[in-house]
């Protein structure tokens, strides 16, 4: 009741700002809007900690958002097609539910938007077609104990090597929603992707790597002006659908080690609250909590429906050390910040998350790194002329378990995994970090930017499944870490109503699948290290002009 009263009071105090909503992780445009904040003293339209972003436009001739009261606006949303081609093995970055698979795949999305002063209806379905070719994946490392650890982690995380045995096809409502708008708040139903946290390539809670899942939402569509600063929030309740594909492509290993989990739909409740304190200009702070449980074990009660308001420690909810009294709930909590410094055309950000309840606050204080993950990054713009500049940005995502895994009874606690619930996934794809269980990645981009046009280089280092490598103690049997090194060419360009965004990346894989001996697979005839490529391109068509109104600097 207190929470509801506070939210109602904040709504009465809010300012409503009309604007255009951009799907989470949208190519080129989201990045451009984020860059614009580094040249402007006004970052109040969005913290970029809750996405999709609603942003104001100086000229709405393109989007027809300035609606007279009682009138309706109807417009076609931009038509977007994305293609991906992976040569020898999957590549981790697969937006909007495209799968990390070998071969080619295609994504298509478009639709219609209907809105007036209070109702907002967006119908934007999507379709995905993928070759989903077989490839040489995990094979027995000639140690039953090692293979058992590998499959145990797979079982806890729901990240299969391949999504079925043939071509992959999915069609759904995609980036659709229907909401009722009142002041700076809205409430309704959606299937669109959401992105929580400041990350540019990854997020610890929600990103656009998995398909959007059906959910009810109550959220701010614009920041709310309060006495302490600008507030943004989102509260959702949704359904996650596990597919439970066989985790390995080796049928013999699957039969021996794979133990399928329940295929029941999961109920997810999540809350995100962010604030821009008025005393520190450019600083954005926030936190989120997610709780998932099997829907067939859900009971009718406040804490069962809204478990994000549940106690934060095991003792506060009457749970014991082995988790018998927590009703199978799995939680993740994150805190994050983003600090924008327009005078230096610079921003830096970070996010820290922890899953698995601490026993009590003493346990948390003594061992805050248990079951944690974090990411940190920055974005720096160096002006060359009034309209042209160099962009240098980087991000490091770290999921590797802390050293306390060796002394705590809980055992493996990789991010996005749970012993009883399985992974934090939808359609067996990670809702947050997309690089794989227990993996770390570092990304650096250097590019030349003018308006929406960009040419640049991307450097990437991916440490694959370091948790498995350490937990199975592969170094004791002379196995080396599996590391991918990538160099990519970036090219974004707009022509009139068309916008293209593309990346061609060459990857050098070292110690693939932790093997050191040569093998005879046709894709990898030279042994455990090889070269491959990843190509991704998006073509977007805008039905109305002028496209330049999407950016402030053109």
């Amino acid at each position: 009741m207190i929470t509801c009263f506070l939210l109602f009071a904040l709504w009465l105090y809010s300012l409503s700002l009309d604007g255009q909503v951009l799907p989470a992780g949208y190519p080129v445009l989201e990045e451009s809007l984020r860059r614009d904040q580094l040249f402007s003293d006004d970052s109040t339209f969005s913290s970029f900690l809750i996405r999709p972003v609603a942003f104001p436009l100086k000229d709405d001739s393109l989007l027809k958002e300035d609606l007279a009261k009682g009138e309706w606006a109807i417009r076609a949303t931009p038509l977007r097609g994305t293609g991906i081609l992976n040569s020898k093995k999957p590549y981790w970055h697969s937006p909007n539910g495209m799968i990390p698979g070998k071969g080619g795949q295609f994504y298509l999305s478009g639709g219609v938007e209907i809105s007036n002063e209070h109702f907002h209806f967006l119908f934007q379905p999507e379709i995905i077609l993928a070759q989903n070719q077989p490839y040489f994946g995990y094979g027995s490392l000639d140690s039953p104990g090692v293979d058992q650890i590998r499959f145990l982690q797979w079982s806890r995380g729901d990240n299969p090597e391949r999504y079925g045995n043939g071509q992959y096809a999915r069609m759904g409502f995609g980036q659709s929603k229907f909401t009722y708008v009142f002041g700076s708040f809205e409430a309704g139903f959606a299937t669109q992707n959401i992105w929580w946290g400041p990350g540019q390539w990854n997020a610890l809670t929600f990103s656009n790597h998995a398909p959007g899942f059906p959910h009810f939402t109550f959220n701010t569509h614009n920041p709310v002006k309060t006495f302490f600063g600008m507030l943004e929030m989102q509260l959702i309740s949704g359904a996650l659908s596990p597919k439970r594909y066989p985790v390995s492509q080796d049928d013999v290993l699957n039969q021996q080690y794979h133990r399928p989990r329940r295929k029941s739909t999961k109920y997810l409740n999540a809350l995100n609250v962010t604030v821009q304190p008025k005393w520190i200009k450019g600083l954005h702070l926030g936190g989120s909590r997610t709780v998932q449980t099997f829907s067939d074990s859900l009971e009718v009660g406040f804490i069962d429906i809204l478990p994000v308001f549940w106690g934060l420690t095991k003792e506060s909810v009457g749970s014991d050390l082995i988790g018998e009294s927590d009703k199978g709930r799995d939680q993740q909590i994150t805190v994050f910040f983003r600090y924008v410094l327009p005078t230096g055309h610079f921003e830096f950000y970070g996010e820290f998350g922890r899953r698995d309840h601490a026993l009590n606050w003493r346990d948390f204080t003594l061992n805050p790194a248990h079951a944690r993950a974090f990411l940190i990054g920055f974005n720096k713009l160096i002006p060359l002329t009034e309209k042209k500049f160099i962009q240098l940005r980087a991000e490091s995502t770290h999921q590797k378990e802390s050293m306390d895994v060796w002394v705590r009874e809980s055992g493996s606690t990789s991010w996005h995994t749970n012993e009883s619930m399985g992974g934090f996934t939808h359609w067996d794809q990670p809702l947050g970090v997309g690089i794989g269980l227990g993996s770390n990645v570092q990304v650096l981009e250097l590019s030349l930017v003018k308006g929406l046009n960009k040419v640049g280089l991307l450097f990437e280092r991916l440490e694959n499944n370091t948790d498995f490598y350490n937990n199975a103690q592969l170094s004791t049997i002379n196995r080396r870490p599996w590391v991918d090194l990538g160099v990519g060419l970036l090219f974004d360009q707009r022509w009139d109503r068309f916008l293209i965004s593309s990346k061609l990346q060459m990857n050098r894989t070292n110690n693939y699948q932790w093997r050191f001996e040569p093998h005879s697979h046709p894709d990898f005839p030279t042994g455990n290290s090889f070269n491959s490529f990843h190509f991704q391109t998006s073509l977007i068509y805008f039905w109305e002009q002028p496209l330049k109104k999407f950016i402030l600097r053109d």
Side-chain angles (χ1 to χ4, degrees):
M1 292 298 294
I2 296 177
T3 302
C4 295
F5 175 78
L6 289 175
L7 291 175
F8 180 73
L10 290 172
W11 170 63
L12 294 176
Y13 196 69
S14 68
L15 294 179
S16 179
L17 300 174
D18 292 330
Q20 165 66 17
V21 176
L22 196 65
Y26 205 78
V28 184
L29 299 183
E30 185 178 275
E31 180 186 336
S32 175
L33 288 169
R34 188 162 178 160
R35 284 197 302 259
D36 288 338
Q37 286 192 343
L38 306 189
F39 284 102
S40 173
D41 290 332
D42 182 16
S43 61
T44 58
F45 75 82
S46 175
S47 65
F48 281 89
L49 301 179
I50 300 179
R51 287 168 267 176
V53 171
F55 62 92
L57 296 175
K58 291 184 177 180
D59 184 349
D60 277 336
S61 59
L62 168 65
L63 302 171
K64 300 178 181 178
E65 287 288 320
D66 291 333
L67 305 175
K69 291 185 177 181
E71 296 183 2
W72 292 81
I74 302 176
R75 70 177 185 90
T77 63
L79 184 64
R80 172 189 169 191
T82 299
I84 288 180
L85 180 61
N86 295 319
S87 62
K88 295 183 178 180
K89 68 179 184 66
Y91 177 72
W92 67 271
H93 190 258
S94 50
N96 296 107
M98 299 179 77
I99 62 172
K102 178 188 172 183
Q105 60 182 304
F106 177 71
Y107 169 93
L108 181 65
S109 178
V112 63
E113 186 173 11
I114 305 173
S115 59
N116 71 357
E117 184 183 8
H118 292 295
F119 290 97
H120 186 193
F121 175 70
L122 174 62
F123 179 64
Q124 192 168 336
E126 59 190 14
I127 184 171
I128 294 173
L129 302 172
Q131 287 182 293
N132 192 33
Q133 297 175 351
Y135 63 96
F136 188 83
Y138 180 83
S140 176
L141 295 180
D142 300 323
S143 172
V146 169
D147 293 340
Q148 188 174 16
I149 292 174
R150 184 71 179 101
F151 275 79
L152 178 62
Q153 187 185 47
W154 258 327
S155 179
R156 288 172 169 170
D158 297 326
N159 281 164
E161 281 191 328
R162 189 174 174 220
Y163 291 80
N165 294 322
Q167 294 182 348
Y168 179 93
R170 183 180 63 82
M171 183 170 63
F173 288 103
Q175 308 306 308
S176 301
K177 74 171 184 176
F178 178 68
T179 58
Y180 179 77
V181 180
F182 46 102
S184 288
F185 289 85
E186 64 177 341
F189 180 80
T191 59
Q192 63 185 185
N193 282 102
I194 56 179
W195 190 305
W196 287 2
Q200 299 180 85
W201 284 277
N202 272 300
L204 296 188
T205 302
F206 295 122
S207 68
N208 70 337
H209 290 121
F213 58 91
H215 60 274
F216 292 98
T217 179
F218 172 60
N219 59 273
T220 54
H221 66 89
N222 283 306
V224 176
K225 186 177 180 180
T226 71
F227 65 90
F228 53 81
M230 305 299 287
L231 176 76
E232 296 172 271
M233 61 79 61
Q234 185 171 26
L235 175 66
I236 67 170
S237 291
L240 306 178
S241 299
K243 303 301 290 184
R244 306 302 194 199
Y245 293 106
V247 294
S248 167
Q249 297 177 80
D250 190 317
D251 292 335
V252 175
L253 289 178
N254 285 334
Q255 293 175 4
Q256 187 172 2
Y257 295 109
H258 181 46
R259 299 294 180 266
R261 295 183 180 272
R262 295 166 60 184
K263 203 174 180 179
S264 302
T265 300
K266 297 178 184 178
Y267 171 74
L268 174 68
N269 184 222
L271 174 67
N272 187 338
V273 178
T274 75
V275 62
Q276 304 175 44
K278 64 181 181 180
W279 303 280
I280 307 177
K281 195 170 185 179
L283 178 63
H284 309 263
L285 303 171
S288 72
R289 187 184 192 188
T290 66
V291 181
Q292 63 171 345
T293 189
F294 287 113
S295 58
D296 55 11
S297 62
L298 197 64
E299 298 180 3
V300 178
F302 179 81
I303 291 302
D304 294 281
I305 302 300
L306 296 173
V308 292
F309 299 107
W310 199 32
L312 296 179
T313 66
K314 283 179 165 42
E315 287 185 348
S316 67
V317 297
S319 181
D320 55 38
L321 284 172
I322 61 175
E324 290 295 332
S325 58
D326 62 7
K327 297 184 178 180
R329 298 187 182 102
D330 173 42
Q331 78 154 1
Q332 294 179 157
I333 294 179
T334 68
V335 292
F336 39 79
F337 76 92
R338 177 173 178 249
Y339 198 15
V340 180
L341 300 168
T343 55
H345 313 308
F346 178 73
E347 69 162 297
F348 66 97
Y349 59 86
E351 183 174 16
F352 177 87
R354 172 168 170 153
R355 51 162 304 275
D356 186 27
H357 299 63
L359 176 63
N360 49 39
W361 289 111
R362 180 179 180 274
D363 177 32
F364 175 80
T365 303
L366 293 176
N367 198 355
H370 169 65
R372 60 94 178 96
F374 62 87
L375 65 80
I376 190 168
F378 71 87
N379 193 356
K380 168 66 177 178
L381 304 179
I382 305 173
L384 301 178
T385 66
E386 183 181 355
K387 298 181 179 180
K388 185 184 296 184
F389 50 90
I390 294 174
Q391 176 175 263
L392 177 65
R393 59 178 184 151
E395 183 174 290
S396 176
T397 304
H398 189 101
Q399 296 180 109
K400 178 184 176 182
E401 297 169 332
S402 64
M403 295 303 295
D404 73 342
V405 70
W406 300 105
V407 297
R408 291 183 69 108
E409 186 181 1
S410 57
S412 178
T413 54
S414 295
W415 190 249
H416 286 339
T417 67
N418 182 265
E419 177 65 33
S420 60
M421 294 296 302
F424 189 66
T425 61
H426 178 55
W427 278 60
D428 288 10
Q429 292 181 251
L431 291 170
V433 182
I435 56 178
L437 298 176
S439 300
N440 302 330
V441 68
Q442 301 85 42
V443 183
L444 173 67
E445 177 191 320
L446 177 64
S447 55
L448 178 65
V449 180
K450 182 181 179 182
L452 294 178
N453 301 336
K454 180 174 78 172
V455 177
L457 292 173
L458 182 139
F459 304 91
E460 180 181 288
R461 180 178 183 271
L462 174 62
E463 304 170 82
N464 291 274
N465 210 320
T466 56
D467 285 347
F468 165 66
Y469 181 84
N470 292 329
N471 292 335
Q473 302 183 48
L474 295 186
S475 61
T476 63
I477 55 174
N478 298 320
R479 306 283 177 165
R480 295 182 178 180
W482 168 15
V483 178
D484 291 337
L485 302 176
V487 178
L489 175 64
L490 307 175
F491 178 75
D492 297 343
Q493 182 73 41
R494 71 177 178 97
W495 296 278
D496 193 37
R497 301 186 183 189
F498 288 93
L499 180 62
I500 187 172
S501 175
S502 57
K503 176 175 72 171
L504 175 60
Q505 180 166 322
M506 301 302 297
N507 294 309
R508 176 65 177 178
T509 296
N510 299 296
N511 309 308
Y512 180 63
Q513 299 287 353
W514 308 278
R515 291 182 174 274
F516 55 79
E517 73 276 4
H519 46 75
S520 59
H521 193 276
D523 283 343
F524 319 118
T526 60
N528 70 325
S529 297
F530 58 92
N531 299 321
S532 62
F533 74 85
H534 162 79
F535 177 69
Q536 182 176 150
T537 185
S538 294
L539 180 63
I540 304 170
Y541 177 75
F542 295 83
W543 301 98
E544 301 178 76
Q545 283 281 38
L547 177 58
K548 67 181 181 180
K549 298 306 178 183
F550 275 101
I551 58 175
L552 302 179
R553 301 176 61 82
D554 192 13

